[in-house]
Each structure stands twice: as structure tokens, then as C-alpha cells.
Amino acid sequence: MKSAVQISDVTKAFGDVVAVNNISLDIADGEFFSMLGPSGCGKTTTLRLIAGFEQPTIGQISIMGQPVAGVPAYRRPVNTVFQSYALFPHMTVAKNVAFGLEMAKIPQNEIESRTNAALELVQMGSYGSRRPTQLSGGQKQRVALARAIVNQPRVLLLDEPLGALDLKLRKDMQLELKQIQEELGITFIYVTHDQEEAITMSDRIAVMDNGIVAQIGSPKEIYENPVSRFVADFIGETNFIKGKIDSVGETTVLDAQGIHLVGSTSTELKKGQDAVIAIRPEKISIVSAKDAGQSANKSAIAGTVSQTIYIGTDTRYQIELTTGDKIFARLQNLEAGQDVQFNKGDEVSVEWSTQNAQILAE
């Protein structure tokens, strides 16, 4: 598949601070690619390097097969959408969208047709005569998006564009952004610290930490098969039980204070090494202690329910295990008026399938 953006062995340092540390990425043409990570992980610096707002200290960046070292931002085939919107308050919506085309001396009839098409695409076709002060936050974000796509960039860069919106509007805009990207067929490179945003919209995700890429993969690959404790902990909710590697083979066995727990692993581990078994709350089943038993391809460990939390769709159970670890399990509330299945103080066994657990280096 043709590459839209290639980042090859790029490092970016600001004095003694290394913001991006020898990363390489190959982003396909037409892909919705997200860079996800906590504040300070290097994701926004990487986006600024692609945009041309910063230059690499070491390494090379190519856009649509062309190296862009020294090429200023305004001459790169990219546009950027910022969280702050950056709309001109004295201009109408239509004038804001058309501004870049006017600066490029595009013929007036083409400016009008492209501006109208961009506003229609973001569902703002009837708002062209309004001023930004007359718009809601979500409408301003749509105008900022229209202003970026009207220039027909080959790559659209989005720097946490939904961060200022309320939760419901953010969820609605996630679906709209993905639909717009599919309609345009261009590459979107999206920066966020919000895991749900990345998982909802992306074809692939690069999880970043301390200036490096910790893992790249599809949302499903990263959620189901994290390669490190950091990735497992950052993406969604995860329980960790500590122990030492007992054996490594087709499956890996963790010794948690004499209790053998089985899981899969995608990293090199050695017998006796400190490790954790990572298991998602929704992958855990709970049975009463009297009904507990051994079954093939499953791990089980005893514990006591220490807390129950009703959250509407699910009930969350906090369970203190015999190892001293505390974990959460989530059971779906399938029936209206359903009572909690377990109460505080109940003796239980928590169980999970081997394929649903990952054993990772501590």
C-alpha cells in the first residue's frame, strides 16, 4: 500500500530534553492513524514535525514519497486542525473557510464552489453568513474542519480537536470525523490522549510513551494483545496480578504466591522473572466459592467481594484475592431490575480463559 507519511529514525530534542526518541512510522495513504499517549509522550511534537512547525534533530520525514526536510509548513501538502479552532472572529463562516483559497489566488467561482462543498460536508451549509461568536463549540469545530479540508490536503493533521467539547458532542463528532475521512479518502493523523476516541475512529494506533512508540496495531490488537504493562494499563481498564514466571511454552505460567495462573505472551520472558498477568474486568467470570472447580484452559483464584458498584449497564465488583491483590470484575445487567449477583463479604472464585489473559514483564 502507498505511504502517505514516512518517519524514519526521527529524534527531536529541545536542548537536553528529548521529546521524540528515534521513532519510525509508516502511515498509509487513506488511513485514519492515531497517535495516543499521556501528556509529554511526544505525540504532539511528532505531529508538529510532520506539519513543518518543527524540524527533526535527526532523521527524515517524507510526505507522499517526497522528503520534506527544510520545506516550510505552508508548502507541505498538509493542513492542521487545532483544539482552539483559531477562527477569525471578524469574518463570516464562509469567509473563514475560504481564507486559504483566497490567499492562494484561486479563481472566485472555484472558491465559492469549494467553500460551499466543504460546509455541506460538515453539515454547516446554512451557516455561511454567521460569525464564529454565533456558533456553539461543536459548530466552530466543524468550521475549523471545513477550513482545513477545503484546501484539499493529501494529509490532514488533527491535534486533539475534540478536547474542548462536552462528552455527548465529542462522541457524536467521533463518528462524524470517521465518516468524513472515509468520504474524502485522505489520510487523517489524529493526536489524542483519549483511548475511546482512538479506538472508535482509527484504522491503526501508535501508543507513545516518553518519546518512543510502545506499540503499533489495530485497535483490537492493542486492546486484546498489549505488549507491555504500560500499554495494557493505558488502554482501557486492566487488572494486574503480580508473580514470577514459572514456565514458558505455548502458554506461559505465572506463579502468584503458589497459585499457578496461565496466559499468553508476545514478549520474551524467562523463568523466575518478575511479571504480571493482565486481565480485563469484562473477561472475568465470578462464581461462588462452593461452586468453584478446575476446568481446562482456565485460571481461577479465590477471593472475597469487598465492594459492589452499580453503573447501569454493568455492576462492578471489587474482589480482594487470597494473594492480597485487588481486582475488578464487570458483569452485565441483562435484565431490568436485576439484583446484584454477589454482595460484600461473599466468598467467590474469579475465573478467566487462558486466551483472555496476557502475561507481561513487570
Side-chain angles (χ1 to χ4, degrees):
M1 185 177 290
K2 183 179 179 182
S3 296
V5 175
Q6 288 180 304
I7 299 175
S8 304
D9 304 318
V10 164
T11 293
K12 177 61 180 178
F14 298 94
D16 294 333
V17 178
V18 179
V20 175
N21 190 1
N22 193 34
I23 71 167
S24 295
L25 296 171
D26 192 342
I27 302 170
D29 191 19
E31 184 175 25
F32 198 123
F33 188 90
S34 289
M35 291 185 287
L36 172 68
S39 297
C41 71
K43 58 188 185 296
T44 295
T45 300
T46 303
L47 196 79
R48 291 176 61 83
L49 289 167
I50 298 169
F53 301 140
E54 304 285 353
Q55 293 295 322
T57 306
I58 303 170
Q60 178 174 287
I61 297 174
S62 298
I63 301 176
M64 307 310 298
Q66 298 299 314
V68 291
V71 178
Y74 69 90
R75 293 187 59 193
R76 298 188 182 196
V78 304
N79 267 92
T80 306
V81 180
F82 300 100
Q83 181 178 332
S84 61
Y85 314 136
L87 301 178
F88 299 115
H90 63 286
M91 292 183 181
T92 65
V93 164
K95 282 290 187 182
N96 265 281
V97 174
F99 181 76
L101 301 178
E102 291 174 348
M103 292 298 98
K105 309 291 190 205
I106 302 297
Q108 188 59 40
N109 61 340
E110 185 178 348
I111 290 176
E112 291 180 4
S113 64
R114 284 168 63 174
T115 297
N116 291 336
L119 287 172
E120 288 293 338
L121 184 63
V122 298
Q123 302 178 33
M124 292 291 288
S126 61
Y127 291 80
S129 61
R130 295 197 186 185
R131 306 269 181 180
T133 54
Q134 298 173 301
L135 303 178
S136 68
Q139 290 169 338
K140 289 177 184 177
Q141 192 54 268
R142 287 187 175 92
V143 175
L145 182 61
R147 185 177 60 184
I149 62 179
V150 77
N151 293 312
Q152 299 176 342
R154 300 298 300 271
V155 179
L156 189 64
L157 310 175
L158 302 103
D159 189 6
E160 306 207 45
L162 308 184
L165 305 181
D166 63 62
L167 179 61
K168 185 177 186 305
L169 185 54
R170 202 157 65 236
K171 288 180 178 291
D172 291 341
M173 284 297 294
Q174 289 169 16
L175 300 177
E176 287 189 31
L177 274 175
K178 182 61 177 174
Q179 182 178 349
I180 289 168
Q181 187 264 339
E182 290 175 346
E183 288 185 27
L184 292 173
I186 66 174
T187 303
F188 275 31
I189 302 178
Y190 192 95
V191 160
T192 183
H193 65 272
D194 188 309
Q195 306 126 41
E196 184 180 325
E197 278 185 8
I199 288 172
T200 298
M201 295 186 290
S202 307
D203 297 314
R204 288 191 303 151
I205 300 169
V207 183
M208 297 188 67
D209 180 36
N210 290 322
I212 66 169
V213 176
Q215 185 173 354
I216 301 175
S218 69
K220 184 176 180 180
E221 287 169 345
I222 286 177
Y223 186 83
E224 301 287 356
N225 299 295
V227 298
S228 69
R229 177 166 182 162
F230 170 79
V231 174
D233 197 23
F234 191 77
I235 302 292
E237 184 181 6
T238 311
N239 297 297
F240 297 103
I241 302 172
K242 295 181 180 180
K244 291 184 179 294
I245 299 298
D246 183 75
S247 65
V248 179
E250 289 187 11
T251 58
T252 300
V253 179
L254 183 82
D255 185 335
Q257 299 184 33
I259 300 170
H260 285 179
L261 305 174
V262 184
S264 57
T265 186
S266 56
T267 56
E268 291 292 327
L269 297 172
K270 297 179 180 179
K271 182 177 174 65
Q273 180 179 346
D274 288 336
V276 293
I277 190 163
I279 179 71
R280 304 284 186 186
E282 73 274 12
K283 307 290 190 185
I284 295 173
S285 58
I286 309 173
V287 298
S288 64
K290 62 182 177 61
D291 295 328
Q294 295 294 323
S295 58
N297 300 317
K298 279 195 173 185
S299 291
I301 188 168
T304 303
V305 176
S306 56
Q307 194 176 34
T308 64
I309 307 166
Y310 175 80
I311 56 173
T313 56
D314 304 68
T315 298
R316 282 165 50 93
Y317 297 91
Q318 186 185 55
I319 299 157
E320 184 166 352
L321 304 177
T322 53
T323 58
D325 298 284
K326 290 183 179 180
I327 67 169
F328 280 99
R330 291 175 55 179
L331 301 183
Q332 192 171 3
N333 298 320
L334 297 174
E335 303 294 336
Q338 177 178 312
D339 292 330
V340 297
Q341 299 176 53
F342 301 95
N343 296 296
K344 184 176 181 179
D346 285 354
E347 300 293 325
V348 298
S349 174
V350 294
E351 303 176 352
W352 58 83
S353 297
T354 299
Q355 64 186 14
N356 290 331
Q358 295 288 315
I359 296 182
L360 307 166
E362 174 66 304

